[in-house]
Amino acid sequence: MKTRITELLDIQFPIIQGGMAWVAEHHLAAAVSDAGGLGIIGAGADAVVAEGMESGGHIGAQTTMCLVPQVVDAVQIPVIVAGGIADGRGMAAAFMLGAEAVQMGTRFIVCRESVVHANYKNKILKAKDIDSEVTGTSHGHPVRQLRNNMTREYLKLEKEGASFEELEKLTLGALRKAVVDGDTINGTLMAGQLAGLVKKEQTCKEMIEEIMCEAMEGWCNRTDQECGKRVGESWHHGKCDCPGFIETEMTEGLSDSVKEALKDQTLLKRTGKAEEVAQVAVFLASEGADYITGQVISVDGGMAV
């Protein structure tokens, strides 16, 4: 899959590992990069990350669904979506909102290459949808984390009107306690609301391939569930034999005229399976994909011009 992000960063898949304190170190970053994504320790400025409040760690006030379309409309540079992305369904939704890549943190915490303590990982793997809460809102520094004794004490002090300095003492070194020492009682277990979706430990390669497979399946499921299943199973082999998908040779790219025609759905004549092909073609063209050649796409007797 090609987007401005994959081309800008020279990566195979538009999946980025978040730069998490005490978590984003060289082992994890290298494993994500080796798997075709982008593992990072720092950050760049050639794209913008739009992160919704569903994410773990320090958060804002806007949800991903509301924030991302507004950011996409406001900037010309590529947008990377973070907050609430745990699988291919979330990735597909992010791209429908205008994203050109996704950034994930919570799910990468539990990957096998992550140096995070097993106790921390297990808390995420066992988490339910209601197990995260936000501390620090009283002083304008909200942080989402998994509920434990520390968060309960913190919220109690906040309710009682404790000062920022008093609250800071409670959390001093708490993230290290969780990540390095495995203290799940008094440590800060930063994790997003999506923790309830993370149910297994995988290698970075397994995780990224699974997410891409799910995303491709989800895009095609909009028109044909059987097509989606088969595309999801075979996308990484460079072709798909499903009649509801575009079957062509890989090329260097689309001509400008074909791109423009495909982007304008009113120019597409649809009959039968061609309607499905047209929708997929529009998506691929909008992403600058290199899967389509020629002026005519024909599938099962249907034709999209």
Side-chain angles (χ1 to χ4, degrees):
M1 173 184 290
K2 285 187 178 181
T3 71
R4 286 188 294 172
I5 290 293
T6 60
E7 293 180 350
L8 174 67
L9 302 175
D10 192 23
I11 54 178
Q12 185 178 2
F13 306 124
I15 298 178
I16 299 169
Q17 159 249 312
M20 302 163 283
W22 288 101
V23 178
E25 45 72 64
H26 67 281
H27 295 96
L28 178 59
V32 174
S33 296
D34 286 343
L38 177 67
I40 62 173
I41 300 174
D46 292 317
V48 61
V49 177
E51 182 176 83
M53 65 179 295
E54 299 94 328
S55 65
H58 296 273
I59 60 173
Q62 296 288 324
T63 65
T64 298
M65 186 69 73
C66 293
L67 176 65
V68 173
Q70 296 180 71
V71 174
V72 170
D73 290 347
V75 302
Q76 299 300 316
I77 58 177
V79 175
I80 301 164
V81 173
I85 313 295
D87 55 25
R89 294 172 298 179
M91 181 176 179
F95 271 64
M96 291 301 293
L97 294 175
E100 297 194 43
V102 295
Q103 176 178 289
M104 301 186 301
T106 303
R107 190 162 179 185
F108 279 124
I109 289 176
V110 304
C111 72
R112 290 198 183 122
E113 295 91 342
S114 168
V115 298
V116 171
H117 198 285
N119 292 351
Y120 192 160
K121 291 184 179 182
N122 288 333
K123 288 290 286 186
I124 292 176
L125 293 172
K126 295 177 181 179
K128 298 181 177 62
D129 60 324
I130 59 173
D131 285 347
S132 76
E133 57 188 356
V134 179
T135 62
T137 55
S138 62
H139 293 284
H141 299 283
V143 176
R144 185 178 299 283
Q145 53 199 298
L146 296 182
R147 185 180 293 107
N148 62 6
N149 285 359
M150 190 277 290
T151 63
R152 282 188 281 271
E153 179 63 20
Y154 195 108
L155 291 172
K156 177 176 175 290
L157 290 174
E158 275 197 288
K159 189 175 181 180
E160 294 172 353
S163 68
F164 177 73
E165 291 73 22
E166 186 177 356
L167 293 170
E168 279 288 283
K169 289 179 182 178
L170 180 63
T171 60
L172 187 64
L175 183 56
R176 185 188 185 284
K177 288 179 183 178
V179 174
V180 179
D181 302 332
D183 185 349
T184 60
I185 298 175
N186 298 305
T188 297
L189 302 168
M190 293 186 181
Q193 288 182 313
L194 57 83
L197 290 173
V198 182
K199 298 300 183 185
K200 57 188 174 182
E201 185 181 39
Q202 298 171 290
T203 65
C204 288
K205 185 175 186 296
E206 291 169 341
M207 188 184 302
I208 289 175
E209 288 186 349
E210 179 180 277
I211 290 169
M212 290 300 303
C213 180
E214 291 171 346
M216 293 300 292
E217 181 178 340
W219 283 318
C220 287
N221 267 342
R222 289 178 295 167
T223 55
D224 187 324
Q225 290 189 356
E226 182 61 24
C227 173
K229 181 176 183 295
R230 295 175 69 176
V231 169
E233 290 173 349
S234 60
W235 73 270
H236 54 280
H237 297 301
K239 64 177 183 179
C240 178
D241 61 358
C242 179
F245 199 65
I246 300 168
E247 302 176 31
T248 58
E249 297 178 356
M250 300 291 285
T251 71
E252 290 299 317
L254 297 170
S255 68
D256 290 340
S257 60
V258 174
K259 280 186 180 180
E260 290 305 313
L262 289 172
K263 286 180 181 178
D264 186 351
Q265 296 192 42
T266 63
L267 298 180
L268 295 169
K269 298 176 183 178
R270 304 170 182 174
T271 57
K273 286 286 185 180
E275 181 174 357
E276 299 170 14
V277 175
Q279 292 187 30
V280 178
V282 169
F283 170 75
L284 291 175
S286 68
E287 296 302 322
D290 54 357
Y291 303 121
I292 312 168
T293 57
Q295 299 287 339
V296 177
I297 303 167
S298 180
V299 177
D300 282 2
M303 184 175 294
V305 183

